[in-house]
């Protein structure tokens, strides 16, 4: 059975490492961010993104985020893998990394997405 739940997040910290200019409008960036979650997920996430800003104003990113806190009242942590784009607003599709759950979240699985425009993340577990 699947459960659809929602959480909101706020970015607390965002740090870009120096970028590599590749020519033709391409640029690579490594970013580390800290996010706070409320709702079905309550806690803190630390994410590392690799981003490729391309011509045409679209940035593609991938990353891994470790979220520690509670999920639907169960304590522990888990890791999600992001794949997304930024073209006016960030959008990410993500999935829980198999075997990454700790504490009461051992065995957690799921996928979800977010659009940061409204800071609402739908979580499917």
């Amino acid at each position: 059975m699947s459960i659809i739940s929602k959480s909101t997040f706020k970015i607390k910290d965002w740090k870009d490492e120096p970028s590599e200019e590749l020519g033709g409008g391409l640029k690579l960036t490594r970013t580390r961010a800290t996010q706070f979650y409320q709702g079905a997920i309550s806690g803190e996430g630390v994410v590392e993104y690799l981003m490729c800003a391309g011509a045409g104003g679209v940035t593609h990113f991938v990353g891994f985020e470790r979220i520690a806190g509670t999920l639907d009242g169960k304590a522990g942590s888990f890791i999600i893998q992001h794949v997304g784009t930024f073209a006016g607003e960030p959008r990410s599709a993500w999935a829980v990394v198999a075997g990454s759950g700790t504490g009461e979240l051992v065995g957690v699985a799921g996928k979800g997405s977010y659009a940061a425009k409204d800071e609402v993340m739908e979580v499917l577990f």
Side-chain angles (χ1 to χ4, degrees):
M1 178 169 93
S2 294
I3 300 169
I4 296 178
S5 56
K6 292 185 180 181
S7 297
T8 59
F9 67 92
K10 300 272 186 201
I11 296 172
K12 175 188 173 189
D13 191 37
W14 185 276
K15 293 181 184 172
D16 290 326
E17 287 187 13
S19 301
E20 183 177 353
E21 301 287 338
L22 302 172
L26 293 174
K27 177 174 77 170
L28 296 176
T29 305
R30 183 178 184 157
T31 300
R32 182 177 174 93
T34 303
Q35 304 178 141
F36 287 108
Y37 289 86
Q38 291 182 326
I41 298 172
S42 180
E44 180 178 279
V46 177
V47 61
E48 293 203 18
Y49 291 119
L50 295 177
M51 295 189 272
C52 179
V58 177
T59 298
H60 298 269
F61 62 87
V62 297
F64 289 93
E65 179 174 7
R66 181 177 181 268
I67 299 173
T70 61
L71 170 64
D72 292 331
K74 295 181 179 178
S77 67
F78 57 97
I79 297 171
I80 59 176
Q81 179 181 4
H82 292 270
V83 177
T85 59
F86 181 86
E89 67 181 47
R91 295 185 173 275
S92 173
W94 56 264
V96 174
V97 174
S100 67
T102 67
E104 294 178 299
L105 298 175
V106 169
V108 68
K111 60 184 177 178
S113 63
Y114 74 79
K117 176 181 176 183
D118 55 12
E119 295 182 341
V120 172
M121 180 173 66
E122 278 195 4
V123 183
L124 176 62
F125 287 95

